[in-house]
Amino acid sequence: MLPDTAQVAYGDLAGLDTVLRARRDRACVILEPVQGEGGVRIPPVGYLAEAAALCRVYGAFLIVDEVQTGLGRLGSWWGVDAEGVVPDVLLVGKGLSGGVVPVAAMVATKDAYGPFSRDPYLHTSTFGASPIACAAALAAVETIDREDIVGRAASLGRRLLAGVEEACAPYRGRLVHDVRGRGLLIGIEFTRAQAVGETLLELVGRGVLVNHSLNSTRVLRLTPPAIADADETRLFLDTLAEALKAVHARLA
């Protein structure tokens, strides 16, 4: 941990208030609208808006990491849209180029970017403003808008979450502890870490690719594409049911 830094539990507004009060006008808050690698942790309703309000009260700089949650993943353009939050800096990546080339971006308010704009030597980049990356990013954003990928992510996410909950229902309390998600970021929390690896291998062996959560060993993370059709969705849900049945029989 860097000097004079503090970790506040996700969703803990009282703790954030205490930390910011002690660091008036010299604090920076970094958070995700939904924690991805943290295990698809969804904050309490109002948390993002209240956290942003505390930053304004104490003069803190707010950075929101939307690398995993942005560009429609949560069923809205940005995860912060759900609570009308406008951070000082928004971090964007992953889907920004549509998978054509690696590209990420820092989106900032005029006031936040002002110092960099006045003195460009404060921030340099070897690969910044690459013509190919910028062309790919522009095309990706235009396509997301034109084909209503955000709306499709929202509707598909609702159907998938309901389907995942149904597949997991027979194993609640024994194999599965919780199912949660927003849009196309869904997490299955198991009762023990071993079940995550076992289920992942069962799914991969049946042709379905999924992720574990790096910082939450009991959570299997599902990040399906918004372009998945009805047949692909049914195939996934049937395969998940088969995988859970096999893992439960082995670990019971």
Side-chain angles (χ1 to χ4, degrees), residues 1 21 32 34 51 54 87 158 170 182 200 212 234-235 251:
M1 186 181 296
R21 187 184 300 115
E32 295 174 279
V34 171
L54 286 173
R158 286 190 292 269
R182 263 184 63 189
L200 187 150
H212 64 293
R234 176 45 53 192
L235 173 63
L251 298 183

Side-chain angles (χ1 to χ4, degrees), residues 102-114:
V103 61
M106 178 192 80
V107 182
T109 64
K110 183 177 180 180
D111 288 343
Y113 195 75

Side-chain angles (χ1 to χ4, degrees), residues 108-186:
T109 64
K110 183 177 180 180
D111 288 343
Y113 195 75
F116 297 104
S117 181
R118 288 191 296 272
D119 186 353
Y121 289 103
L122 288 175
H123 181 73
T124 61
S125 171
T126 304
F127 301 102
S130 160
I132 294 176
C134 288
L138 178 61
V141 171
E142 289 176 341
T143 301
I144 291 170
D145 183 46
R146 183 176 63 252
E147 298 186 6
D148 189 26
I149 298 299
V150 176
R152 291 169 65 175
S155 59
L156 177 58
R158 286 190 292 269
R159 295 197 301 274
L160 273 175
L161 183 60
V164 171
E165 288 176 336
E166 182 180 352
C168 291
Y171 311 103
R172 284 275 191 166
R174 293 174 293 166
L175 182 69
V176 175
H177 174 69
D178 189 27
V179 175
R180 52 185 178 266
R182 263 184 63 189
L184 294 177
L185 181 57
I186 298 171

Side-chain angles (χ1 to χ4, degrees), residues 158-243:
R158 286 190 292 269
R159 295 197 301 274
L160 273 175
L161 183 60
V164 171
E165 288 176 336
E166 182 180 352
C168 291
Y171 311 103
R172 284 275 191 166
R174 293 174 293 166
L175 182 69
V176 175
H177 174 69
D178 189 27
V179 175
R180 52 185 178 266
R182 263 184 63 189
L184 294 177
L185 181 57
I186 298 171
I188 303 174
E189 183 175 350
F190 289 84
T191 54
R192 45 181 161 161
Q194 181 185 357
V196 174
E198 296 279 352
T199 306
L200 187 150
L201 291 174
E202 287 286 344
L203 288 169
V204 171
R206 289 171 165 81
V208 174
L209 300 180
V210 295
N211 279 322
H212 64 293
S213 296
L214 291 177
N215 300 318
S216 187
T217 58
R218 292 194 294 125
V219 177
L220 188 72
R221 190 160 41 97
L222 311 176
T223 55
I227 59 172
D229 60 27
D231 289 340
E232 291 166 333
T233 300
R234 176 45 53 192
L235 173 63
F236 163 69
L237 292 174
D238 289 344
T239 304
L240 175 63
E242 294 170 2

Side-chain angles (χ1 to χ4, degrees), residues 13 16 20 29 31 46-56 62 83:
L13 288 169
L16 182 61
L20 292 182
V29 175
L31 54 79
Y47 169 70
L48 299 175
E50 289 297 326
L54 286 173
C55 287
R56 291 194 297 271
L62 177 61
E83 297 187 8

Side-chain angles (χ1 to χ4, degrees), residues 19-39:
V19 169
L20 292 182
R21 187 184 300 115
R23 294 167 169 79
R24 286 180 180 271
D25 299 318
R26 55 184 182 87
C28 174
V29 175
I30 304 174
L31 54 79
E32 295 174 279
V34 171
Q35 288 189 331
E37 299 295 354

